[in-house]
Amino acid sequence: MTDGHLFNNISLGGRGGTNPGQLKIYSGGILWKKQSGGKAVDVDKDDIVSVTWMKVPRTSQLGIRVKDGLYYKFTGFRDQDVTSLTTFFQNTCGITPEEKQLSVSGRNWGEVDLNGNMLTFMVGQKQAFEVSLADVSQTQLQGKNDVILEFHVDDTTGANEKDSLMEVSFHIPNSNTQFVGDENRP
Amino acid sequence: GDSRSSARTSADLVAYKNVNDLPPPRDLMIQIDQKNEAVILPIYGSMVPFHVATVRTVSSQSDTNRNCYIRIIFNVPGTPFNPHDANSLKYQGAIYLKEVSFRSKDPRHISEVVQQIKTLRRQVMARESERAERAT
């Protein structure tokens, strides 16, 4: 096996926005390093649980879910990278990447999916956005139908974004049957 | 007249048809796309669009630490003066995004955003209620 693929302009996305860096995908796994040094993500091949592709504006996003429930999102791939990496993941890890679609309709109603640490708001079977429950500092039930998620805030919050998400709330009408009396409510 | 205009609004208005119709990613900050009538929010490093017709109210406030906060409340069913019945019947079982709030480092940007959302929302609502009246 040759030494895999190296990408120079791949951003890691998350709570605080995105960080540009360098991503290496090789036979042993995945290694991402922040451009300015510092933060690194190192995933062993055997810890990868699933791989997803999603087309986002003007580029593609790679989602890597690992065994401990964490989920990494890398953005900045060209179409030809998607093709070659799909083959790579199939051959090296025996994982076939799934395709996800991004919702851009602008609707505010849909479904909430919980998977590992991630809460995904789905609109018309497509993903509108995802948040990590690991970053939620507090959840509150307001009235009978509203759930509020508050996010951790510290000095580094929003280090590289101008506007930082603080709070999200969902309204779950009585007609919803997904989360009735379920301790897993979002 | 907001209540009358909501019969159509968010149920049928679509911000973007294709992923690549979104404006080029710029800084991770709240953006308003006048042409597509969308409010675009930075959530977890992604820009997430919402049609302005889904917005019910928007407000901002600042604290003593020069932090500025913006709160956007979306339309949900069962809100007084905003019957969403056509919508909620059509999408029974749906969960609604009700509210988001952001902290910003730039008060001027936030006050611009609040004004832009309010103006755009008013324009769209006026147009939609006119359309509804013509239809009857």
Side-chain angles (χ1 to χ4, degrees):
Chain A
M1 183 78 236
T2 50
D3 208 24
H5 305 258
L6 188 68
F7 303 94
N8 273 320
N9 208 346
I10 299 293
S11 298
L12 176 68
R15 160 102 176 103
T18 54
N19 277 304
Q22 191 189 59
L23 182 71
K24 188 175 154 189
I25 300 184
Y26 64 110
S27 52
I30 291 173
L31 183 64
W32 178 86
K33 280 185 194 142
K34 198 173 157 181
Q35 212 163 55
S36 49
K39 192 174 178 172
V41 170
D42 195 352
V43 176
D44 194 90
K45 183 186 87 178
D46 295 329
D47 290 335
I48 299 175
V49 174
S50 66
V51 178
T52 54
W53 283 113
M54 186 164 74
K55 282 209 184 315
V56 298
R58 279 155 195 87
T59 181
S60 283
Q61 185 180 73
L62 174 68
I64 302 282
R65 187 181 297 283
V66 298
K67 271 185 185 153
D68 61 8
L70 286 177
Y71 183 54
Y72 298 106
K73 290 192 288 183
F74 300 101
T75 308
F77 298 92
R78 299 165 304 170
D79 286 350
Q80 60 260 46
D81 303 333
V82 174
T83 314
S84 62
L85 284 177
T86 296
T87 314
F88 186 83
F89 282 116
Q90 283 168 335
N91 294 342
T92 316
C93 314
I95 293 174
T96 302
E98 264 177 75
E99 280 205 36
K100 284 201 294 188
Q101 284 187 302
L102 183 69
S103 166
V104 291
S105 67
R107 293 179 176 175
N108 71 319
W109 63 94
E111 287 166 44
V112 167
D113 270 4
L114 294 167
N115 194 344
N117 274 336
M118 302 306 287
L119 183 155
T120 310
F121 188 59
M122 305 283 291
V123 174
Q125 315 300 317
K126 296 180 180 180
Q127 175 180 321
F129 63 83
E130 282 182 316
V131 297
S132 167
L133 296 177
D135 296 323
V136 171
S137 61
Q138 201 178 172
T139 62
Q140 275 185 52
L141 199 59
Q142 195 175 63
K144 277 196 334 221
N145 298 101
D146 295 347
V147 176
I148 306 176
L149 308 181
E150 288 172 31
F151 292 89
H152 285 293
V153 184
D154 60 42
D155 291 346
T156 59
T157 305
N160 56 0
E161 60 183 359
K162 216 172 192 180
D163 303 329
S164 316
L165 184 67
M166 307 288 290
E167 209 179 284
V168 167
S169 80
F170 293 100
H171 176 78
I172 302 157
N174 290 332
S175 56
N176 179 282
T177 49
Q178 188 186 359
F179 293 108
V180 176
D182 182 348
E183 76 276 18
N184 285 327
R185 68 176 73 222
Chain B
D2 276 2
S3 56
R4 276 191 305 167
S5 64
S6 64
R8 193 185 107 109
T9 55
S10 47
D12 301 309
L13 293 176
V14 165
Y16 300 96
K17 289 203 170 71
N18 293 304
V19 168
N20 283 326
D21 294 343
L22 262 87
R26 286 197 326 214
D27 293 341
L28 287 169
M29 54 189 248
I30 301 172
Q31 289 175 38
I32 312 301
D33 180 350
Q34 307 272 353
K35 188 172 140 258
N36 291 287
E37 302 173 348
V39 180
I40 309 175
L41 306 175
I43 300 180
Y44 271 73
S46 302
M47 298 303 290
V48 185
F50 292 94
H51 196 281
V52 75
T54 64
V55 173
R56 178 172 157 81
T57 60
V58 55
S59 61
S60 66
Q61 63 180 102
S62 46
D63 68 14
T64 47
N65 280 332
R66 295 200 308 159
N67 279 318
C68 183
Y69 299 87
I70 180 167
R71 179 178 293 263
I72 299 171
I73 301 176
F74 296 94
N75 286 316
V76 299
T79 322
F81 309 116
N82 198 356
H84 234 256
D85 296 338
N87 200 355
S88 44
L89 283 176
K90 209 161 146 191
Y91 300 101
Q92 253 188 12
I95 289 179
Y96 289 73
L97 178 68
K98 186 180 189 184
E99 194 180 310
V100 290
S101 69
F102 287 84
R103 184 178 72 178
S104 180
K105 295 168 185 163
D106 185 348
R108 208 172 65 182
H109 155 68
I110 289 302
S111 65
E112 273 172 23
V113 162
V114 170
Q115 274 319 310
Q116 284 177 350
I117 294 176
K118 283 184 173 166
T119 309
L120 186 58
R121 186 181 174 281
R122 209 160 39 226
Q123 286 166 358
V124 171
M125 290 308 177
R127 184 193 69 207
E128 288 305 315
S129 71
E130 211 175 282
R131 190 196 296 257
E133 261 163 47
R134 259 186 284 128
T136 50

